[in-house]
Amino acid sequence: MESRYHQVYARWKADPQGFWGDAARELSWFKSPERIFDPDRGIYGRWFPDAECNTCYNCVDRHVEQGRPGQNAIIYDSPITGTAEKYTYSDLKDAVSALAKVLIEKGVEKGDRVIVYMPMIPQAVFAMLACARIGAVHSVVFGGFAARELATRIDDCAPKAVLSASCGIEPGRVVAYKPLLDEAIELSRHKPDFTLIYQRPQAEANLIEGRDHDWSTQVATAAGAEVPCTPIKATDPLYILYTSGTTGQPKGVVRDNGGHMVALKWSMKAIYDIDPGEVYWAASDVGWVVGHSYIVYAPLLHGCATILFEGKPVGTPDAGVFWRVISEHKVASLFTAPTAFRAIKKEDPDGALIEKYDLTGFRTLFLAGERADPDTVQWAEDKLQVPVIDHWWQTETGWAIAANPLGLGMLPVKHGSPTVPMPGYDIQVLGTDGHPVEAGQMGSIAVRLPLPPSCLPTLWGNDERFKGSYLSEFPGYYATADAGYMDEDDYLYIMARTDDIINVAGHRLSTGAMEEVLASHPDVAECAVIGAADSLKGQIPTGFVVLKAGVDRAHADIEKELIGLVRQKIGPVAAFKTAITVGRLPKTRSGKILRGTMRKIADGEEFKMPATIDDPVVLDEIATALKQRGFGG
Ligand code: COA
Ligand code: AMP
């Protein structure tokens, strides 16, 4: 089939409001949008400014009312606990309504914030949808973050409640959440009114009287409650999702209700080529944007069954678990990060475990979250014999900026490229002078304003940071902070970040935040953290520290403390395992640390001696230190 992509993209470009107005008709509104876009509202304009809707209604009730009450909505498959459960759309409505009732009775109102700090269990999805149902704004915090990170988020969004579980389960260990939550509440200035704790059998939590409530008991008393979906403005926030910025203070990305629904619903057919009723699987975590958009909201908006997988691509129990889940639940499409495939490939290089399962209904693999290296893409294509589609997006956008839109007819795949801009995104590659560069030339990738529906209207409570972080570098554009190029066919190539964000196992992390932690150690005078290439995780953080004069403790002891400190302050997800003590850091004559050059040395890449370097000998010292730790190619 000839792709309709160019035609559809041109139609959007000629009439963006007509395009999104049509897409909006696929959803149910309490008050349908008459005005599609208002350029004078918000920071760069707002989508569907006069409409009223409810995201939970569209994800749940609409399907119960319109022919899918008995269809599976959530398939929970948890190899790590050996359990599995299925929830129909009717079950989902009951579970969400009961939880919504509990929240209302405890005083949560429209606009209030609720933090959700939970593992990959159905209750996490119920929590998100219960908030959406009553117009409360959820903020899900990934379970791999430490108490201090949770505290930062509590202080930033000032939640009325925290919904949590007693524990998460990682291979070989049970992660007790409650002590982390208690510590976070202790650390934060803002105190939530109450918490609801879902007790899991692997570790029961102690509840503090008056503040903590047992989830299951509360929900049982609310069983059967009818809680209508609250009409809310399309422009009201649905959620806040914190993501790494360049400092220790994460950015609270705000998602609205109307634009988010419209873009996500459109994407399910046009990009993923999925029909209502099919089984869709995003193997991510509800704590990340991929989890928000493609475990929870998009598949449910589209009337699909979504897989909620609590496990890992390898080790739970083996590298065949993805194929087991696909065949057992008849998954049509899988979306995950390339790192998951690198992990599988390492354990089962010949794909022998694939042969054990019937994958006939499986149509496509989608990859995102980090650069999809051509080797991994090729391996997946060879072994699975289905299209492997790289697509590029960010927490800030909530859906793909560039993709190969299968539902419009697949475009030829070029390895290393997430293909072409999606409707809504006018992408330009800009030079340092702010002007577009020629095809094939590297530059900063920017999106001409306005951003399409679902993209962030601002950062929570911080319009100035939003403008400063994204809109000021190139006036009239949103700066993605990714660098790369576009070829003659308008295929994009995403090559690097322009800031100090690194990507570790598909997780977005700030080296600046890690440097803040290292610098807080009493023996450290200065430090630098870089992302060194890693064959499994893509990148791994590597820290260099210069000790204060007079410190004569063993370097190995200090390095161990630094590793522990990052784990304690940021969390295990930082995967910070290497700290190296050096005599000096390489700097320019004006004092700027040459992190880029250090990264090249760590990766064994050629590098040009920076003309402005203060003392070239320092680079030799860094190279020697890295060699001793096995870096440097
Ligand atoms: N709660 C608590 N701890 C968590 C956690 C969670 N939800 N998720 C991860 N961690 C911990 C891990 O246990 C690990 O701890 P350790 O240092 O004690 O071993 C640490 O954080 C680092 O985790 P991770 O980077 O995920 O490494 P891993 O070795 O556990 O697994 C992969 C590697 C590739 C298997 C894993 O990253 C993966 O499945 N990735 C899939 C892609 C993905 O989910 N991407 C998200 C965006 S699409
Ligand atoms: P996150 O906000 O966690 O989704 O991370 C977004 C960042 O991950 C992007 O800005 C990119 O740097 C990187 N990223 C995501 N998807 C891709 C991709 N397909 N190719 C290259 N980089 C990607």
Side-chain angles (χ1 to χ4, degrees):
M1 168 173 112
E2 171 100 11
S3 177
R4 291 192 297 120
Y5 162 73
H6 290 101
Q7 194 188 325
V8 172
Y9 189 81
R11 196 244 148 169
W12 160 73
K13 210 158 186 189
D15 179 17
Q17 299 204 31
F19 183 93
W20 292 117
D22 285 351
R25 277 191 265 282
E26 297 292 315
L27 296 150
S28 298
W29 302 84
F30 290 123
K31 183 169 178 291
S32 295
E34 277 165 25
R35 188 118 202 238
I36 302 303
F37 183 72
D38 182 351
D40 299 324
R41 287 195 40 183
I43 294 171
Y44 60 84
R46 293 302 303 263
W47 293 98
F48 311 112
D50 60 7
E52 287 182 14
C53 58
N54 184 289
T55 298
C56 181
Y57 179 81
N58 279 280
C59 287
V60 183
D61 301 51
R62 193 165 61 115
H63 304 306
V64 173
E65 290 162 17
Q66 297 178 18
R68 301 185 187 279
Q71 183 203 297
N72 283 331
I74 297 176
I75 300 173
Y76 167 60
D77 189 309
S78 172
I80 206 154
T81 60
T83 50
E85 290 163 12
K86 290 181 180 169
Y87 295 83
T88 64
Y89 274 100
S90 256
D91 299 334
L92 182 59
K93 185 178 169 203
D94 292 347
V96 170
S97 298
L99 184 56
K101 176 84 174 165
V102 174
L103 296 181
I104 291 170
E105 289 199 332
K106 298 220 167 303
V108 178
E109 294 175 5
K110 179 166 137 178
D112 285 341
R113 274 79 57 212
V114 174
I115 280 193
V116 177
Y117 183 57
M118 295 188 75
M120 286 285 288
I121 56 176
Q123 287 69 23
V125 182
F126 304 159
M128 293 164 78
L129 292 169
C131 290
R133 192 169 191 87
I134 63 174
V137 182
H138 64 70
S139 185
V140 183
V141 178
F142 178 63
F145 282 122
R148 198 185 70 144
E149 291 286 328
L150 181 56
T152 307
R153 287 153 175 80
I154 291 175
D155 276 332
D156 196 68
C157 75
K160 192 164 251 179
V162 179
L163 307 190
S164 189
S166 56
C167 63
I169 297 140
E170 285 295 293
R173 73 192 154 100
V174 171
V175 183
Y177 278 26
K178 189 57 180 9
L180 296 170
L181 174 57
D182 289 344
E183 190 188 337
I185 295 176
E186 182 80 35
L187 286 170
S188 60
R189 288 183 309 280
H190 171 85
K191 309 290 176 198
D193 288 0
F194 71 95
T195 79
L196 270 191
I197 309 293
Y198 185 78
Q199 297 280 17
R200 303 187 78 189
Q202 293 80 4
E204 293 252 328
N206 291 325
L207 303 185
I208 297 174
E209 215 171 308
R211 189 196 72 185
D212 302 333
H213 303 273
D214 178 67
W215 181 303
S216 303
T217 316
Q218 296 287 325
V219 165
T221 60
E226 284 283 334
V227 178
C229 294
T230 305
I232 39 195
K233 288 196 196 116
T235 50
D236 281 343
L238 169 69
Y239 70 75
I240 305 163
L241 178 56
Y242 288 89
T243 190
S244 299
T246 50
T247 65
Q249 181 69 28
K251 294 168 169 169
V253 168
V254 174
R255 192 83 60 218
D256 70 11
N257 275 274
H260 177 242
M261 284 200 291
V262 171
L264 260 52
K265 174 81 173 89
W266 182 85
S267 75
M268 283 303 283
K269 181 65 194 169
I271 298 179
Y272 300 96
D273 196 21
I274 289 291
D275 288 320
E278 292 195 296
V279 182
Y280 181 87
W281 181 17
S284 176
D285 187 287
V286 288
W288 306 119
V289 70
V290 173
H292 280 65
S293 294
Y294 291 104
I295 295 174
V296 182
Y297 288 111
L300 296 179
L301 286 168
H302 205 47
C304 291
T306 184
I307 304 266
L308 187 71
F309 174 74
E310 188 182 27
K312 303 272 171 179
V314 293
T316 59
D318 59 28
V321 69
F322 274 23
W323 327 129
R324 197 266 297 156
V325 170
I326 289 173
S327 71
E328 194 171 317
H329 304 301
K330 305 199 166 32
V331 172
S333 180
L334 168 66
F335 174 175
T336 191
T339 190
F341 266 73
R342 289 196 296 270
I344 294 170
K345 181 174 150 206
K346 198 167 155 207
E347 298 270 310
D348 182 18
D350 300 327
L353 292 167
I354 300 174
E355 309 291 318
K356 282 178 55 184
Y357 299 94
D358 174 10
L359 303 186
T360 41
F362 179 55
R363 295 201 299 271
T364 330
L365 171 66
F366 285 88
L367 298 174
E370 57 174 324
R371 185 173 150 74
D373 52 292
D375 279 356
T376 304
V377 174
Q378 194 134 28
W379 184 86
E381 284 173 341
D382 284 353
K383 302 295 173 219
L384 293 170
Q385 294 294 310
V386 295
V388 177
I389 305 296
D390 178 19
H391 60 327
W392 166 61
W393 49 298
Q394 309 182 309
T395 304
E396 286 83 346
T397 65
W399 67 293
I401 311 171
N404 194 332
L406 288 203
L408 305 180
M410 187 169 150
L411 293 164
V413 170
K414 296 191 191 184
H415 288 171
S417 168
T419 324
V420 290
M422 287 298 90
Y425 295 97
D426 178 351
I427 299 181
Q428 302 290 329
V429 182
L430 305 177
T432 41
D433 61 358
H435 290 103
V437 297
E438 307 222 323
Q441 300 276 310
M442 283 279 285
S444 296
I445 306 177
V447 182
R448 203 193 295 274
L449 295 173
L451 291 167
S454 164
C455 291
L456 77 176
T458 189
L459 294 173
W460 180 255
N462 207 337
D463 288 353
E464 289 316 307
R465 191 173 182 198
F466 173 66
K467 291 183 214 163
S469 301
Y470 302 102
L471 307 185
S472 60
E473 190 179 358
F474 303 112
Y477 292 91
Y478 164 85
T480 65
D482 280 313
Y485 61 95
M486 210 178 225
D487 71 9
E488 275 88 7
D489 302 323
D490 289 348
Y491 276 54
L492 265 170
Y493 292 78
I494 312 297
M495 306 308 289
R497 289 283 300 197
T498 59
D499 55 14
D500 64 1
I501 297 290
I502 57 171
N503 206 310
V504 181
H507 307 141
R508 170 169 161 180
L509 297 166
S510 161
T511 55
M514 293 185 219
E515 288 179 2
E516 284 175 24
V517 173
L518 298 184
S520 73
H521 189 285
D523 294 341
V524 170
E526 55 178 349
C527 63
V529 175
I530 59 160
D534 181 76
S535 61
L536 175 65
K537 297 195 177 191
Q539 288 184 300
I540 43 163
T542 307
F544 298 86
V545 292
V546 176
L547 302 181
K548 285 180 183 159
V551 173
D552 60 0
R553 300 174 53 214
H555 291 178
D557 290 344
I558 297 173
E559 288 163 4
K560 223 187 201 159
E561 285 166 18
L562 292 169
I563 290 166
L565 202 59
V566 174
R567 193 174 172 96
Q568 182 205 337
K569 300 280 185 199
I570 297 179
V573 68
F576 184 82
K577 306 260 158 98
T578 311
I580 305 175
T581 310
V582 291
R584 287 173 298 172
L585 291 172
K587 290 184 185 172
T588 61
R589 281 190 280 278
S590 60
K592 204 168 159 283
I593 298 172
L594 292 161
R595 292 181 181 78
T597 311
M598 291 163 79
R599 186 196 58 74
K600 284 189 175 145
I601 297 173
D603 295 352
E605 281 176 26
E606 291 282 317
F607 68 92
K608 261 218 270 320
M609 185 63 74
T612 56
I613 191 163
D614 184 33
D615 181 357
V617 176
V618 185
L619 286 181
D620 295 335
E621 291 169 14
I622 295 285
T624 309
L626 279 164
K627 271 236 157 63
Q628 281 165 357
R629 307 290 178 110
F631 291 91

